[in-house]
Amino acid sequence: MWIEDAVENLDLIVTLELEMTDTARYSDYVLPVSYWLEHTDVRGNFSNPYIAYQEKAIDPLWKSKTDNEILSLLAEKMGLGEVFPHLTEEEWVDVLFDSDAMREKGITKQRVQEEKAVRSFGTEGEPWIIGGYGQEFPTPSGRAEIYCEIPLARYDFGQDWQSEAKEQQFPVWLPPYENWPGSEAKKKYPLSYLQLHERWRTHSQWFGCATFKEIDKEPLLHISREDALERNIADGDIVEVFNDRGHCVVKGVIDESLPSGVCYIPKGWQRYQFIEGGFQELTSNAVDACSGGYAFYDATVDVKKWED
């Protein structure tokens, strides 16, 4: 696996984590970070126009510490305490509100504490731009530009984007690399492979929750009855899901809601919870060289009964 090759070339891996995730298992040191209900913070996100005040419910348990406290202590030991000072939670919140942008909008710590959530940009009932600077697009004209004279790579990570840039002066649609009729990958691996949100988890959170595991015990491959019969797979069989990149071994279940040609494994499981392999071995890292765009669920696989 490429990740094992990459990890072996790193001198030291330090992870701040709540649970023993796959990342934590590859780390040299795992520092126990506190849960978000255990510290005071101010929250907002890319698509949410509101700033919300997060009130601490309980003190951090055992020896866990907040992200800020851990970073401050590390900075102090490395002689960088002036760059990242050791402040209390409330002092860091004060730093967040001490800005001209906040003052221009009339947003203060006291106001957010009292109202719990305050709109920070956009006007209710009127269109506004997500991720724009102020109320303008981050373009030379400040408007949405359909044509771009000199396209540049959105992210330059050493790829050859120049050869594709000229073709992307106007918006362009590109078919998925794999999961598309007629593709070479689809001919070799006929099943569209998906990872879906599971009701028992939020992304990868709660993968180790004992209560939820009473209901959702293990990773499962969902496959249509038609595809299962074609591969001589019965409900409950152990199966191997595979393509050129890797494989994973899980219990298979026949899902009457699925059409033929589609299979999925709910997301959020850790690698050690699979019988063998892991579902991220199957996914593709192919992206458009210029825009950085990619097709979700652009992966194809095949499935067979597992013979250990």
Side-chain angles (χ1 to χ4, degrees), residues 4-301:
E4 293 174 346
D5 295 334
V7 167
E8 288 177 359
N9 289 317
L10 298 175
D11 294 328
L12 181 68
I13 303 176
V14 180
T15 299
L16 279 63
E17 191 51 90
L18 291 164
E19 301 177 276
M20 282 301 294
T21 61
D22 286 342
T23 302
R25 288 170 181 271
Y26 277 106
S27 302
D28 298 292
Y29 294 98
V30 180
L31 305 180
V33 69
S34 60
Y35 192 66
W36 55 80
L37 295 178
E38 298 173 339
H39 63 270
T40 301
D41 205 345
V42 178
R43 294 198 169 273
N45 61 49
F46 184 71
S47 59
N48 186 347
Y50 292 94
I51 293 176
Y53 192 77
Q54 176 184 292
E55 298 177 278
K56 179 169 68 174
I58 60 173
D59 290 326
L61 297 177
W62 302 294
K63 294 184 179 181
S64 65
K65 301 182 185 299
T66 66
D67 296 89
N68 287 335
E69 186 174 7
I70 291 173
L71 294 175
S72 296
L73 291 170
L74 289 174
E76 182 180 348
K77 292 294 184 180
M78 296 173 67
L80 300 171
E82 294 182 1
V83 179
F84 204 102
H86 196 172
L87 304 180
T88 66
E89 296 173 25
E90 290 294 339
E91 288 172 332
W92 278 119
V93 171
D94 291 336
V95 170
L96 291 173
F97 286 104
D98 185 17
S99 71
D100 292 336
M102 288 291 192
R103 283 186 281 271
E104 288 175 6
K105 296 177 181 179
I107 300 176
T108 64
K109 176 182 175 180
Q110 182 179 358
R111 181 185 170 193
V112 176
Q113 285 176 320
E114 292 174 352
E115 299 180 26
K116 306 304 180 186
V118 174
R119 194 178 189 103
S120 61
F121 58 88
T123 303
E124 189 170 354
E126 296 182 5
W128 46 276
I129 301 166
I130 296 177
Y133 298 97
Q135 288 299 304
E136 293 186 345
F137 283 94
T139 59
S141 66
R143 301 180 179 181
E145 297 181 357
I146 305 302
Y147 173 78
C148 180
E149 180 65 30
I150 306 176
L152 300 174
R154 185 180 183 187
Y155 305 108
D156 191 342
F157 49 89
Q159 79 279 26
D160 177 22
W161 58 268
Q162 291 87 350
S163 60
E164 296 186 18
K166 192 68 176 178
E167 300 175 359
Q168 299 201 23
Q169 290 179 309
F170 286 100
V172 59
W173 178 85
L174 300 171
Y177 289 95
E178 289 188 15
N179 198 6
W180 195 251
S183 73
E184 291 302 314
K186 191 74 171 177
K187 295 174 185 176
K188 189 174 182 180
Y189 301 106
L191 299 179
S192 299
Y193 168 63
L194 314 179
Q195 290 180 24
L196 304 186
H197 286 277
E198 175 60 72
R199 70 175 66 184
W200 314 114
R201 285 184 297 283
T202 302
H203 302 298
S204 62
Q205 296 174 51
W206 331 126
F207 69 85
C209 177
T211 302
F212 288 155
K213 287 182 71 175
E214 292 178 6
I215 305 169
D216 190 31
K217 295 180 172 58
E218 60 188 326
L220 298 172
L221 172 80
H222 293 246
I223 188 171
S224 73
R225 180 168 295 279
E226 182 178 343
D227 291 328
L229 288 173
E230 184 179 330
R231 292 161 175 78
N232 194 31
I233 294 172
D235 192 66
D237 280 348
I238 304 301
V239 299
E240 178 185 19
V241 191
F242 63 96
N243 58 22
D244 286 342
R245 288 180 291 273
H247 80 152
C248 68
V249 178
V250 293
K251 182 183 292 184
V253 295
I254 294 176
D255 192 326
E256 301 291 356
S257 69
L258 280 178
S260 62
V262 177
C263 65
Y264 76 87
I265 302 174
K267 63 183 287 190
W269 295 100
Q270 302 297 298
R271 184 174 176 82
Y272 76 89
Q273 293 174 304
F274 288 80
I275 297 172
E276 189 171 304
F279 52 14
Q280 287 305 96
E281 291 186 23
L282 304 167
T283 55
S284 170
N285 62 357
V287 299
D288 178 71
C290 192
S291 71
Y294 56 92
F296 290 106
Y297 306 132
D298 185 18
T300 57
V301 300

